[in-house]
């Protein structure tokens, strides 16, 4: 059955709009891993709905029947320790995962705090496939959104690629590649990351708090797992800018923050801060420009970025548009009593601009 809603409350329709089913893992003993399995699935669902104007069928791992497992191609969020369906199928898949190693068809890759995506024929139906999104740890699972979909398998551990800085994805990933015609791993069809490039690549931050209810006077928002996100916020970079460099606004460098790219599509993240007693959202907002040598005058002229803060569906703050040469601005918003906190980046009429990174620096909740 077709499920609509990220809360996964059960099938609501029997529409046959897609030949696949999303299956969300719920069995991990790690609350963070369970939350991240659902979070990654929510991001996929939101992107599919936006691009295809249809809602994919979705199941909890305990709800899908074996007939349904064989009927559909499966997108499994969670490895065998986190997803009951992955656990049932894993003995017939060329994949094993431990805390510091991922093995694909007998080839072992050291991969602490890493995510893996792999597609393979469905063991229950050779006319269907399974796509697995899994990780060696909860921290690793937070990196899964940045793994590409154009490989049969890919392992990444949060290192940030940047072609202009000499860090192409194929050198930064642990490994990426395709199976051969018999669905075996042939070394000729895989690219192993370059140790020197990987060692020089910055590593994206990961959320460390599931709940905003902590015993402290401040909480950096980059440390809190978002409850929902879309656009580039679904792959937001924590504590570095969008290119993986330190966040620099004006003449100051910041060690904490959230960075995204500009996007003409909806571009926001939402955080649950209900019943946590926070009263202010403070930080510094601004854009880092693409170097003038790498952009043209029309792109600079089209730069227009607005930062928006909402609480429980009500807009609380909207900045003046930041243009090419705007200075950063202070953010101080009253969030007393807010449950669902949303931060958003909106652009002007043209998606072609000169923004390298849209930054929420030192963004924190305060009492």
């Amino acid at each position: 059955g077709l499920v609509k809603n990220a809360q996964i409350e059960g099938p609501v329709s029997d529409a046959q709009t897609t030949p696949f089913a999303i299956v969300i893992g719920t069995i991990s003993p790690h609350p963070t891993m369970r939350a991240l399995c659902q979070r990654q699935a929510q991001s996929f669902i939101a992107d599919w709905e936006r691009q295809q104007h249809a809602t994919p069928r979705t199941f909890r791992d305990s709800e899908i029947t074996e007939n349904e497992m064989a009927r559909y191609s499966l997108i499994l969020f969670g490895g065998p320790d986190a997803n009951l369906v992955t656990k049932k199928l894993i003995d017939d898949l060329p994949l094993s995962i431990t805390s510091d190693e991922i093995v694909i068809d007998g080839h072992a890759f050291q991969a602490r705090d890493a995510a893996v995506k792999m597609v393979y024929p469905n063991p229950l139906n050779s006319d269907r496939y399974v796509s697995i999104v899994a990780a060696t740890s909860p921290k690793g699972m937070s990196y899964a959104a940045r793994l590409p979909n154009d490989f049969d398998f890919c392992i990444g551990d949060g290192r940030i690629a940047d072609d202009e800085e000499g860090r192409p994805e194929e050198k930064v990933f642990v490994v990426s590649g395709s199976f051969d015609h018999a669905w075996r791993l042939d070394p000729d069809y895989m690219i192993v990351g370059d140790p020197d490039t990987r060692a020089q690549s910055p590593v994206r931050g990961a959320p460390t708090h599931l709940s905003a209810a902590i015993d402290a006077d401040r909480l950096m928002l980059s440390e809190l797992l978002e409850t929902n996100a879309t656009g580039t916020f679904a792959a937001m970079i924590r504590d570095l800018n969008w290119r993986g460099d330190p966040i620099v606004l004006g003449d100051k460098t910041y060690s904490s923050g959230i960075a995204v790219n500009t996007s003409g599509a909806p571009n926001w993240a939402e955080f649950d801060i209900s019943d946590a007693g926070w009263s202010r959202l403070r930080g510094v907002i601004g854009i880092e420009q693409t170097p003038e040598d790498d952009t043209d005058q029309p792109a600079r002229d089209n730069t227009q970025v607005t930062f928006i803060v909402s609480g429980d569906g009500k807009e609380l703050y909207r900045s003046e548009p930041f243009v090419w040469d705007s200075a950063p601005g202070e953010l101080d918003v009253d969030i007393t009593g807010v449950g669902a906190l949303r931060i958003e980046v909106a652009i002007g009429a043209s998606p072609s601009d000169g923004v390298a990174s849209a930054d929420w620096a030192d963004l924190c909740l305060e009492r």
Side-chain angles (χ1 to χ4, degrees):
L2 176 68
V3 172
K4 174 174 177 68
N5 90 59
Q7 299 305 311
I8 321 303
E9 294 176 354
V12 297
S13 168
D14 196 30
Q16 300 301 306
T17 57
T18 56
F20 66 86
I22 295 168
V23 184
I24 302 176
T26 64
I27 65 170
S28 173
H30 247 301
T32 304
M33 180 64 86
R34 294 197 301 272
L36 283 163
C37 287
Q38 178 155 318
R39 175 69 200 87
Q40 299 289 353
Q42 287 173 334
S43 178
F44 181 94
I45 291 167
D47 285 346
W48 187 268
E49 289 181 332
R50 178 173 56 83
Q51 296 173 19
Q52 305 298 329
H53 307 289
T55 302
R57 62 179 60 79
T58 305
F59 298 90
R60 291 180 185 270
D61 53 1
S62 59
E63 294 174 340
I64 189 168
T65 68
E66 189 150 334
N67 284 339
E68 289 165 329
M69 289 164 54
R71 181 179 181 181
Y72 303 121
S73 290
L74 306 173
I75 302 176
L76 307 176
F77 288 92
D81 62 333
N83 189 307
L84 191 59
V85 176
T86 310
K87 184 177 181 179
K88 290 177 180 178
L89 300 180
I90 196 66
D91 288 344
D92 295 311
L93 298 172
L95 177 69
S96 66
I97 302 168
T98 64
S99 62
D100 58 4
E101 184 179 76
I102 296 173
V103 180
I104 301 176
D105 196 25
H107 295 253
F109 303 95
Q110 297 302 304
R112 182 175 293 277
D113 292 330
V116 58
K117 279 187 180 179
M118 190 188 84
V119 64
Y120 197 78
N122 187 336
L124 302 177
N125 182 347
S126 60
D127 291 329
R128 295 285 184 257
Y129 295 88
V130 292
S131 174
I132 299 172
V133 181
T136 59
S137 69
K139 183 177 181 180
M141 194 66 173
S142 72
Y143 302 143
R146 290 304 294 263
L147 295 184
N149 296 314
D150 49 357
F151 297 106
D152 288 346
F153 55 87
C154 183
I155 301 172
D157 56 0
R159 285 173 168 79
I160 300 173
D162 188 326
D163 289 341
E164 295 180 8
E165 296 290 331
R167 306 192 308 266
E169 283 188 336
E170 63 268 20
K171 291 186 177 183
V172 170
F173 291 138
V174 176
V175 68
S176 57
S178 301
F179 293 109
D180 66 15
H181 69 284
W183 289 95
R184 300 303 305 270
L185 194 156
D186 185 330
D188 289 340
Y189 300 149
M190 74 178 183
I191 304 171
V192 178
D194 177 69
D196 291 338
T197 303
R198 284 173 44 75
Q200 296 167 10
S201 299
V203 180
R204 57 194 299 121
T208 55
H209 294 285
L210 279 181
S211 170
I214 66 168
D215 184 17
D217 292 331
R218 300 175 81 230
L219 172 62
M220 308 310 295
L221 204 62
S222 62
E223 298 176 357
L224 182 63
L225 177 65
E226 72 278 11
T227 53
N228 206 352
T230 190
T232 62
F233 275 97
M236 73 180 87
I237 295 187
R238 290 170 158 88
D239 304 333
L240 296 169
N241 72 12
W242 185 251
R243 297 181 63 172
D245 299 320
I247 296 172
V248 179
L249 294 176
D251 58 358
K252 186 173 180 180
T253 301
Y254 297 88
S255 60
S256 176
I258 289 172
V260 297
N261 201 356
T262 52
S263 171
N267 200 21
W268 51 262
E270 197 164 87
F271 300 82
D272 180 7
I273 61 169
S274 56
D275 303 321
W278 302 109
S279 63
R280 312 298 302 183
L281 177 69
R282 290 194 171 99
V284 178
I285 52 177
I287 58 175
E288 297 184 59
Q289 298 89 348
T290 302
E292 289 197 39
D293 292 345
D294 296 333
T295 189
D296 55 23
Q297 190 62 47
R300 295 194 288 274
D301 292 342
N302 287 333
T303 300
Q304 191 177 83
V305 180
T306 302
F307 293 77
I308 303 165
V309 178
S310 301
D312 299 325
K314 178 182 178 181
E315 187 171 301
L316 304 176
Y317 170 85
R318 177 180 288 262
S319 74
E320 291 297 320
F322 283 74
V323 297
W324 170 259
D325 56 355
S326 290
E330 297 289 332
L331 179 74
D332 186 356
V333 183
D334 185 351
I335 55 171
T336 304
V338 167
L341 175 69
R342 176 179 291 196
I343 59 173
E344 180 177 358
V345 167
I347 63 173
S350 173
S352 301
D353 59 22
V355 177
S357 185
D359 302 336
W360 305 73
D362 268 359
L363 189 64
C364 67
L365 305 169
E366 294 187 358
R367 300 294 181 192

